[in-house]
Structures are given as C-alpha cells and as structure tokens.
Amino acid sequence: MVRETDRLIRTDVPHSARIWNYWLGGQDFYEVDRIAGESGTSVFPDIGVMARQSRRFLIRVVRYIAAEAGIRQFLDIGTGLPTMQNTHEVAQGVAPESKIVYVDNDPLVLAHARALLVNTTDEGVTALIEADFHDPDQIIIEARNILNFNKPVAVLFMGVLGHARTWDDVLRITGTLIDAIPSGSYFAMYEGTTEDSRLVRLQEYYAKTGAVPYYVRTVDQIREVFKNLELVEPGVVPVNRWHIDGTEIEDESAAWGGVGRKL
C-alpha cells in the first residue's frame, strides 16, 4: 500500500477536496483550485449553495443517528478537508463517549485531519486511517482495531462515491460495508445527481481539468444502494429536504441522500 509519506501534494493540478473546500468558503486550497472553483461556478452558479446544503445534511444525519438512534460508533469514509462541525464534533456533542473513525487516502486531507480531527471529549475516540474507499475490505480490517463490529456502527459516505470508477464499484463497496456491520447499524450517503443538468455539465467540465473525475448519479441509483435497508423517513430526497430544521430555505438541492437502518 502506498502511504502518505510516499506521495507529494500536487499544487499544480486542481483537487476535488480543495475545490470543494473553496465552494464551502474554507481556506484550504491553492490558486489552481480557486481558478477551477470559479470556473465551475460559472457553469453551475449554485454549486456553493449545494456544498453548504450537503454539509448541513451531514450535520443533521450525524445528530439524528447519535441522538435519535443511539449509535455510538461512526465510520466516516472519504473524510475530505476538515471544516466546522465535523462528524466527531457533532456525535461527541450528543454523546461524549462516541467513537469516530475517519477514512481517507489523500495526502493533504490526511495532513490536515491529523492536526484538526481530535477528540472533543475525554471519553470519546477520534481516529484516522489511511485507506482507499475502493478497498472496503482493508477499511473493515483497520476499522475493527478501533470499532466493535459486534455493536451497531454508522457508515457514512458523504459525496465521495461519485469518485468511484463505475456504478458496479459503488454497489460492491457499499455492499461489502453493509454486509460487515451488524443489525441495528445505519448507513448514510448523498451524491450529486442528474436532477440538475447544470451539475451534469459541471461533471463534463471537470473531466477536462485533470482533477479526479466525479460522476453524478441518478436518483434511482442512489435508492438502489438502500434496497436492503429500512429507509428512515422521508427516504432518499434532496439533502435540504431531509429532516429540515428550519435553516433549509433554498431551492431543491441537486444532491440527494438518505439514511437506512440494517435490519
């Protein structure tokens, strides 16, 4: 396995995590990412809104799983660059004893995560493992060193499966992880969808920039991932329509997601 120390952080090629950070209003990006981000905004002016909607979806999902479902173990795959109210902060804010394992394999993400993704409580655990989400078996092996897979686990894929090479890969990855967690566990995901043609054009634009490709999915494809799970109401919906807390007032999001419980 190629580890972080064996790879260089490329500052001459736009990177999806850094572009996303730019759209979120963060500061962890380079000039090449800002240029790519602004070019993307010219194709899809609402991409920044969608990024913020997606982040608030993650916060509501983690809060629901911790507070309403009582889950105390989280496996957040495809961490991305840390921002405000990360998974461990939300979960440990509800239940201080929560254990969170983040997974990523990007060297910049790993460097920032090791510095910023630290426990907010004495009782909890916050850990980071370096792994590629295309290798779910390796993720499970390493996560078992920290999480107890005999007890319910919440698996999160927040906007990262668009980087999977094929749809068959998405089903293989998610299926492997869902099979590994016990009954009573939860699975949550969102992805950009074909519901907005501007997002499809943005996908086509970034395919030409040298950034890691991102493939938008159909809503039916996202629903397929949940086919063997009990969907939490209101099901697979635009992210700003899931458990609305009064802050979601924008037009319907192009990102759709949901939460399912393993029976």
Side-chain angles (χ1 to χ4, degrees):
M1 180 183 294
V2 177
R3 291 292 178 176
E4 175 190 358
T5 52
D6 299 322
R7 293 175 286 131
L8 295 175
I9 296 173
R10 293 288 301 271
T11 62
D12 57 333
V13 176
H15 188 278
S16 57
R18 300 192 310 247
I19 296 170
W20 192 253
N21 186 265
Y22 171 78
W23 285 330
L24 278 171
Q27 299 179 340
D28 297 315
F29 55 85
Y30 296 102
E31 180 66 8
V32 66
D33 306 304
R34 183 193 64 77
I35 293 170
E38 289 186 352
S39 296
T41 302
S42 70
V43 177
F44 185 11
D46 291 334
I47 186 63
V49 173
M50 192 186 91
R52 293 187 291 275
Q53 290 170 333
S54 300
R55 190 68 194 181
R56 292 197 293 268
F57 172 73
L58 178 148
I59 293 167
R60 294 197 304 276
V61 164
V62 173
R63 187 176 294 128
Y64 170 86
I65 293 174
E68 303 297 324
I71 303 300
R72 299 293 179 261
Q73 301 187 108
F74 293 79
L75 183 57
D76 187 344
I77 302 172
T79 306
L81 288 165
T83 59
M84 293 180 64
Q85 289 190 281
N86 298 287
T87 298
H88 73 289
E89 293 169 314
V90 178
Q92 291 173 355
V94 172
E97 71 275 21
S98 296
K99 295 181 179 181
I100 293 82
V101 173
Y102 291 103
V103 181
D104 213 296
N105 72 332
D106 177 77
L108 182 67
V109 169
L110 293 167
H112 281 257
R114 290 195 173 104
L116 299 175
L117 299 181
V118 295
N119 262 7
T120 58
T121 66
D122 292 335
E123 307 96 313
V125 174
T126 304
L128 175 69
I129 60 177
E130 181 180 354
D132 188 330
F133 72 76
H134 287 93
D135 190 354
D137 291 316
Q138 183 65 33
I139 291 172
I140 293 165
I141 289 170
E142 298 203 31
R144 283 184 186 276
N145 293 326
I146 303 162
L147 305 178
N148 182 353
F149 274 60
N150 293 316
K151 295 183 178 181
V153 177
V155 175
L156 312 178
F157 276 101
M158 296 298 181
V160 298
L161 288 170
H163 295 300
R165 302 178 189 103
T166 67
W167 182 246
D168 284 344
D169 269 343
V170 172
L171 295 179
R172 174 184 60 82
I173 293 162
T174 56
T176 299
L177 282 152
I178 290 170
D179 286 346
I181 55 180
S183 297
S185 294
Y186 282 76
F187 176 89
M189 70 173 286
Y190 81 79
E191 289 298 329
T193 70
T194 57
E195 293 296 297
D196 193 316
S197 61
R198 297 173 301 171
L199 191 55
V200 177
R201 291 198 299 272
L202 184 61
Q203 167 194 294
E204 295 167 350
Y205 168 79
Y206 277 110
K208 303 173 184 177
T209 67
V212 176
Y214 182 91
Y215 304 100
V216 297
R217 311 297 186 183
T218 68
V219 171
D220 284 343
Q221 285 177 316
I222 296 174
R223 290 194 175 111
E224 184 180 5
V225 176
F226 291 91
K227 65 182 179 181
N228 295 321
L229 301 173
E230 179 183 59
L231 273 169
V232 174
E233 292 294 335
V236 174
V237 294
V239 293
N240 63 324
R241 297 291 179 256
W242 195 89
H243 285 231
I244 300 171
D245 60 6
T247 63
E248 300 293 335
I249 59 175
E250 302 97 343
D251 292 337
E252 192 165 286
S253 179
W256 286 55
V259 177
R261 181 178 182 270
K262 184 173 179 179
L263 299 174

